[in-house]
Amino acid sequence: MSEGRSADLPGPWGRWRAGNTGWSPAQAGDLSGRTAVVTGSSRGIGAALVEHLARHGAHVIILCPSEAHGRAAARAVRQRVTAAQVDSAGCDLSQLGQIPEAAERITGLVAGRLDLLVNNAGVAALPRTYSAAGCEMHFAVNHLGHFALTGHLLPALLNTPQPRVVNVSSVLHWLGRCHPLRPHRPRIYQRWMAYFDSKLANLLFTHGLSTWAHTRHLPLRAIAAHPGLVNTSLGSSALHAVGLHRQARLLEWMQTRWHCPSQAAWPLLRAATEPHVTGGEFFGPGGRWEWSGPPVLVRAARRACARRAAERLWQLSQQLTGCPFPSLPAGPGK
Ligand SMILES: NC(=O)c1ccc[n+]([C@@H]2O[C@H](COP(=O)([O-])OP(=O)(O)OC[C@H]3O[C@@H](n4cnc5c(N)ncnc54)[C@H](OP(=O)(O)O)[C@@H]3O)[C@@H](O)[C@H]2O)c1
């Protein structure tokens, strides 16, 4: 980690390196002895990432709401990857009460040492729904549950020499708004806006966590990634929700552009394993409109790097989750 850089938000142009396309999963290297948790990995991009990590020798924990789905997904990886070390745990991220227990179970499975947490689980375009704690559901699952899980897993993460948290956002974060006062209880509700806002929150959380770790001189790196446009249930429900399934030719054209979950997991894998990264960086596919292509560092919207907004979101998330982050002292750099 290049000290001194991560305190400053990389900014919208950050270390953007378009055209750097020479990356393939082989470069993830040997991950034997490393432990990882991937949320929302019973299917879709998360499941594909688990398989990549397991192929490289990591011990991976699948986290998803249904324990039965998690066990089935773990079995499927073991059948495809010889000697894969894959376990599973159940947790509905919209239920804040389930998170401490899930974190405890994960900590047990990884013997107290967690190298990598990938906050990937996501919901999109739901009709207005609230979690048990009264938070809008996209905000609750896509951001708040992950904030709480990260906080509860910090002791295990900080027990390893180079811990990393990867937050999965979307190119659609560009359409998200910062509405710092009530992101959890929006007055006007539009289901796609709620998704875009939550994907913007993923990037603000990445910067908040990066700054939090840097000012405490902790080795933790928080990186963001997005998968592009992907043929998963979330991807196709997105096309349905905007009515594209009725426009056969446009749909056909779009389907030639989107990629499969296995390739879509590459930016996440690169964010998880690239040795020389700086906190707050953002990986995505390098092709046109970032829909597909090999993973590169990509640009985030300026408002996704706004320090004030990141701080406000951090404070609100602490209040709503009951402060799962240990109160480690901030260093003089703050
Ligand atoms: N697909 C795309 O085109 C696209 C584009 C940009 C970004 N992304 C992002 O990529 C990530 C993965 O998306 P995907 O396309 O792979 O979606 P997906 O196929 O719909 O899978 C979503 C995963 O999240 C889990 N999940 C849903 N609600 C949850 C909850 N309350 N608690 C815990 N886990 C929950 C699901 O578990 P169950 O199976 O048990 O429901 C599933 O494993 C998301 O963050 C999404 O925003 C996707």
Side-chain angles (χ1 to χ4, degrees):
M1 174 173 177
S2 47
E3 283 294 331
R5 292 199 58 147
S6 61
D8 304 319
L9 308 185
W13 292 92
R15 288 204 295 130
W16 186 45
R17 290 195 305 250
N20 170 12
T21 54
W23 193 91
S24 79
Q27 282 163 263
D30 181 11
L31 304 177
S32 319
R34 307 267 282 278
T35 53
V37 173
V38 183
T39 70
S41 48
S42 52
R43 58 188 160 101
I45 301 155
L49 179 65
V50 169
E51 189 165 330
H52 282 300
L53 291 167
R55 273 189 202 286
H56 287 266
H59 174 198
V60 196
I61 316 296
I62 290 173
L63 192 77
C64 62
S66 152
E67 291 198 21
H69 290 173
R71 279 197 297 272
R75 257 197 316 276
V77 178
R78 278 189 229 109
Q79 276 163 10
R80 284 193 295 273
V81 183
T82 324
Q85 260 192 294
V86 187
D87 286 302
S88 61
C91 179
D92 180 339
L93 289 165
S94 72
Q95 305 278 338
L96 290 174
Q98 291 186 13
I99 293 174
E101 203 182 310
E104 210 177 298
R105 174 151 163 67
I106 291 167
T107 304
L109 286 168
V110 298
R113 293 170 56 84
L114 181 61
D115 295 281
L116 170 68
L117 167 63
V118 183
N119 289 322
N120 162 78
V123 289
L126 300 176
R128 195 193 273 262
T129 327
Y130 291 96
S131 68
C135 295
E136 189 286 311
M137 197 55 96
H138 296 86
F139 184 78
V141 175
N142 299 0
H143 166 64
L144 208 56
H146 284 130
F147 179 91
L149 183 69
T150 307
H152 283 287
L153 286 174
L154 263 182
L157 283 162
L158 295 177
N159 214 7
T160 59
Q162 292 189 314
R164 198 174 289 196
V165 175
V166 175
N167 291 324
V168 180
S169 181
S170 165
V171 74
L172 294 172
H173 81 272
W174 281 87
L175 302 175
R177 306 153 299 180
C178 282
H179 47 117
L181 290 178
R182 290 166 62 85
H184 56 305
R185 305 277 304 171
R187 242 185 287 147
I188 299 166
Y189 185 78
Q190 205 284 330
R191 57 189 179 156
W192 275 105
M193 281 314 298
Y195 177 70
F196 304 154
D197 290 349
S198 72
K199 294 288 112 183
L200 181 63
N202 294 148
L203 289 172
L204 289 170
F205 173 43
T206 306
H207 289 304
L209 182 58
S210 189
T211 306
W212 180 87
H214 181 80
T215 52
R216 284 157 184 80
H217 307 290
L218 299 170
L220 180 99
R221 275 173 290 183
I223 314 292
H226 84 82
L229 183 65
V230 198
N231 187 3
T232 61
S233 49
L234 187 147
S236 23
S237 69
L239 296 187
H240 272 70
V242 293
L244 272 181
H245 60 297
R246 285 193 292 270
Q247 319 226 359
R249 288 178 70 182
L250 186 55
L251 182 62
E252 212 173 282
W253 176 79
M254 285 194 73
Q255 285 174 339
T256 61
R257 293 287 185 281
W258 70 5
H259 53 177
C260 64
S262 179
Q263 269 191 340
W266 287 20
L268 282 59
L269 184 64
R270 185 167 184 184
T273 57
E274 178 89 355
H276 306 294
V277 287
T278 301
E281 285 185 331
F282 187 24
F283 288 89
R288 186 183 271 202
W289 302 318
E290 296 174 24
W291 281 7
S292 61
V296 295
L297 277 170
V298 293
R299 213 179 128 194
R302 188 176 289 280
R303 58 188 170 281
C305 314
R307 187 187 296 274
R308 280 267 186 84
E311 282 172 3
R312 279 194 299 255
L313 180 68
W314 184 276
Q315 280 159 12
L316 178 70
S317 307
Q318 281 196 311
Q319 280 164 21
L320 294 171
T321 57
C323 271
F325 281 75
S327 51
L328 300 174
K334 175 83 174 156

